Amino acid sequence: MGVSLVSLYVLWPSLLEVFSAWPALLSINPVWFVVMAAAELASFASMWSLQRLALRTRKWFGVAMSQLAGNALSRIVPGGAAAGAALQYRMLAQAGVATTTAATGLTATSLIGTATLLALPILTIPAILAGRPVPAGLAQSAWLGAFVFVLLIAVGALLLTTERPLATVGRAIQWIRNQVNRRTAPRTDFPDKLRRERDEIRRTLGSGWWRAILFAAGNSLFDYLALPAALTAVGSNPRPSLVLLAYVAAMILGMIPITPGGLGFVEAGLTATLTLAGVSAADAVLATLAYRLVSYWLPLAAGPFMYWLHRRRYAGRVDQATAT
């Protein structure tokens, strides 16, 4: 907690700069908030579809409500991913999902989501090389996002169905780890560990593994599209490849488990990278605020209400997580 408070103190000027732009949100055409909200809803729907597949259930309500509630909790406390997952696990058990299935399913979706996020920086490189220095806009950003979407699907299918590429990735990660952390004994088991985790995911997903790749890629694609929509809303159109790079940087910063949901790190990093991409400082701050409003604050506010709806729907049911 102390580290979180110190981090927020250091990042407070960046947060204050972003929050001070609240009045300027009124200058944005409300239609663009509808577009951004629709993109985020599609992103969440992709995650719910992925979890339904991994949990082997048809329960849209139980999965969606538990995911939104768990997501909100994970964004309230520093390093809250574990707390959010624990809450969703208990809510799924109350909704009738077998505890073993809930545990393995949530683990599989977490691994898939993390792998997708870590793959984005690598896949951004060919996307940037393919970018053209021409007037950009929302359509070009969408096409670039679709290009990365296809790359994610192709790479995901390759890693889930073949051995050599996965082993190569494992050895590369292992080499980087050993080079960075020379004070400890070098790791030699990372490729085998990666293969075992991949095989566990395949067993959990069964024949639906290809749909899982589509849903995981869609989760990132639609979330990304909300950012160029925010930039277009404030009248800024930088190169789509640089917007994609700014998005990837923000997502990586959001993984830092020091502040809740990467609060402060994402705002500071996104405004800085958008400025480097050629967006004016004022537009970068306003676009960041608009994007974070629909991607962070609205889901956070919805979480407690979704928890209440879930409890009301399944009131009186035995909590399987407690019963077992």
Side-chain angles (χ1 to χ4, degrees), residues 90-176:
R90 189 167 294 279
M91 291 174 69
L92 287 170
Q94 188 180 35
V97 178
T99 54
T100 301
T101 302
T104 57
L106 291 179
T107 299
T109 54
S110 176
L111 290 173
I112 293 172
T114 302
T116 302
L117 185 58
L118 293 178
L120 279 175
I122 300 174
L123 298 181
T124 300
I125 296 174
I128 292 176
L129 295 177
R132 296 174 298 171
V134 297
L138 185 60
Q140 289 88 344
S141 297
W143 279 113
L144 187 61
F147 174 62
V148 176
F149 176 75
V150 173
L151 282 179
L152 279 173
I153 294 172
V155 171
L158 186 67
L159 295 179
L160 279 176
T161 57
T162 60
E163 297 296 333
R164 184 172 298 179
L166 185 70
T168 300
V169 171
R171 286 193 294 269
I173 297 175
Q174 179 176 273
W175 182 84
I176 294 173

Side-chain angles (χ1 to χ4, degrees), residues 105-248:
L106 291 179
T107 299
T109 54
S110 176
L111 290 173
I112 293 172
T114 302
T116 302
L117 185 58
L118 293 178
L120 279 175
I122 300 174
L123 298 181
T124 300
I125 296 174
I128 292 176
L129 295 177
R132 296 174 298 171
V134 297
L138 185 60
Q140 289 88 344
S141 297
W143 279 113
L144 187 61
F147 174 62
V148 176
F149 176 75
V150 173
L151 282 179
L152 279 173
I153 294 172
V155 171
L158 186 67
L159 295 179
L160 279 176
T161 57
T162 60
E163 297 296 333
R164 184 172 298 179
L166 185 70
T168 300
V169 171
R171 286 193 294 269
I173 297 175
Q174 179 176 273
W175 182 84
I176 294 173
R177 181 268 177 195
N178 291 338
Q179 294 300 312
V180 172
N181 194 359
R182 293 177 176 271
R183 295 183 178 181
T184 60
R187 290 281 297 273
T188 60
D189 62 337
F190 205 88
D192 290 336
K193 181 180 179 182
L194 199 60
R195 178 181 54 79
R196 288 194 298 271
E197 291 182 350
R198 188 278 308 273
D199 292 343
E200 182 62 31
I201 291 174
R202 282 291 303 271
R203 283 192 292 271
T204 301
L205 298 175
S207 61
W209 62 267
W210 61 273
R211 284 183 290 161
I213 296 175
L214 287 174
F215 296 144
N219 176 244
S220 296
L221 170 66
F222 289 114
D223 183 46
Y224 154 74
L225 289 177
L227 179 57
L231 287 165
T232 304
V234 301
S236 183
N237 293 299
R239 284 181 57 184
S241 56
L242 297 181
V243 176
L244 179 60
L245 183 61
Y247 170 79
V248 170

Side-chain angles (χ1 to χ4, degrees), residues 297-316:
W297 293 106
L298 285 183
L300 177 62
F305 180 64
M306 300 308 168
Y307 178 80
W308 175 79
L309 284 178
H310 185 278
R311 297 290 294 184
R312 184 178 180 183
R313 171 76 174 268
Y314 298 108

Side-chain angles (χ1 to χ4, degrees), residues 38-54 60 63-64 67-68 109 112-113 116 149 211-225:
E40 288 299 329
L41 179 60
S43 175
F44 276 98
S46 298
M47 175 54 68
W48 301 334
S49 299
L50 174 60
Q51 291 194 347
R52 286 176 70 244
L53 181 64
W60 276 105
V63 171
Q67 192 275 330
L68 286 169
T109 54
I112 293 172
T116 302
F149 176 75
R211 284 183 290 161
I213 296 175
L214 287 174
F215 296 144
N219 176 244
S220 296
L221 170 66
F222 289 114
D223 183 46
Y224 154 74
L225 289 177

